[in-house]
Amino acid sequence: MNPPADCRCCGLCCRSSSDTYVRVSGDDWERLGADAERVAHFIGHRAFMRMGGGHCAALTEERQSDGAIWQVCAIYERRPQVCRDLGRGSPECEAERIRKGGAGVMR
């Protein structure tokens, strides 16, 4: 599936100030493999993606040759199920963009 034209310029779905924003299941933890402890952690008896600077620890920025900055998930192929369930450009994606301030983090 191709992302909407500005999907990689947005990253809003990966942004939150909550330490419990993205729940990580046991299956997710296994899928994360060697990266699990770097990008996720336990709070009590539940695992969540690590959050820092207002975004998920797996969210990185890549500067493109044209100067554009893309928001990229460093673990995209192994991301948690909740992230897989949020379809790019879906009504839920659009609701997230509206709830968090519009068109996303455009640069």
Side-chain angles (χ1 to χ4, degrees):
M1 175 181 190
N2 292 328
D6 63 350
C7 185
R8 290 194 174 185
C9 298
C10 179
L12 280 176
C13 58
C14 304
R15 298 186 182 281
S16 176
S17 59
S18 172
D19 289 337
T20 59
Y21 180 60
V22 178
R23 176 83 161 85
V24 175
S25 71
D27 289 340
D28 294 332
W29 191 275
E30 284 185 35
R31 189 180 316 112
L32 290 169
D35 287 322
E37 294 203 20
R38 180 179 63 81
V39 297
H41 64 137
F42 281 86
I43 298 175
H45 298 290
R46 295 187 179 188
F48 300 90
M49 292 299 288
R50 291 182 188 274
M51 302 298 287
H55 61 82
C56 174
L59 184 66
T60 62
E61 291 187 344
E62 284 183 7
R63 184 170 297 278
Q64 303 303 299
S65 60
D66 65 359
I69 297 175
W70 281 4
Q71 307 292 310
V72 178
C73 178
I75 57 161
Y76 187 79
E77 295 300 322
R78 294 171 288 127
R79 69 197 184 281
Q81 189 62 48
V82 69
C83 302
R84 294 168 181 272
D85 291 343
L86 180 64
R88 297 178 195 173
S90 68
E92 294 82 7
C93 170
E94 184 61 25
E96 187 84 354
R97 291 168 51 121
I98 291 167
R99 187 174 68 79
K100 290 184 177 176
V105 181
M106 305 299 286
R107 292 193 163 95

